[in-house]
Amino acid sequence: MIESQLLFGLGMQEILIIAFVVLLLFGGKKIPELMKGLGKGVKSFKEGMNEVTDISKDEEKSEESKRWEGEK
């Protein structure tokens, strides 16, 4: 028998039960607000990661230019 595993080894029944419990705890009106906040948090995290990447690239470029100036 083949079992389908969805997310983190959870089956469809477990995911439905978790979704039902979340719905009971927070209510139908609060869930979209929570997801909106989660989305903003993920977006902010990605922007922060991009800034770190950009800063590290800038530092690498400045180090390269210093090396080139030293070789001249």
Side-chain angles (χ1 to χ4, degrees):
M1 185 164 126
I2 299 174
E3 290 185 28
S4 64
Q5 297 293 321
L6 294 176
L7 186 64
F8 301 112
L10 297 176
M12 184 59 99
Q13 290 177 341
E14 289 88 0
I15 292 174
L16 289 174
I17 291 171
I18 291 169
F20 181 72
V21 170
V22 168
L23 184 63
L24 286 175
L25 289 175
F26 296 108
K29 294 180 181 179
K30 191 70 175 174
I31 291 176
E33 293 175 19
L34 292 172
M35 293 300 112
K36 183 178 178 182
L38 180 65
K40 286 182 179 181
V42 169
K43 182 180 177 182
S44 175
F45 178 77
K46 285 182 179 181
E47 288 174 355
M49 291 300 293
N50 287 337
E51 286 179 15
V52 169
T53 304
D54 292 342
I55 290 171
S56 65
K57 286 181 182 178
D58 289 341
E59 288 176 357
E60 288 175 9
K61 286 180 182 178
S62 66
E63 288 176 9
E64 269 186 41
S65 64
K66 287 179 185 177
R67 279 189 235 143
W68 281 100
E69 288 175 5
E71 291 179 5
K72 289 182 181 179

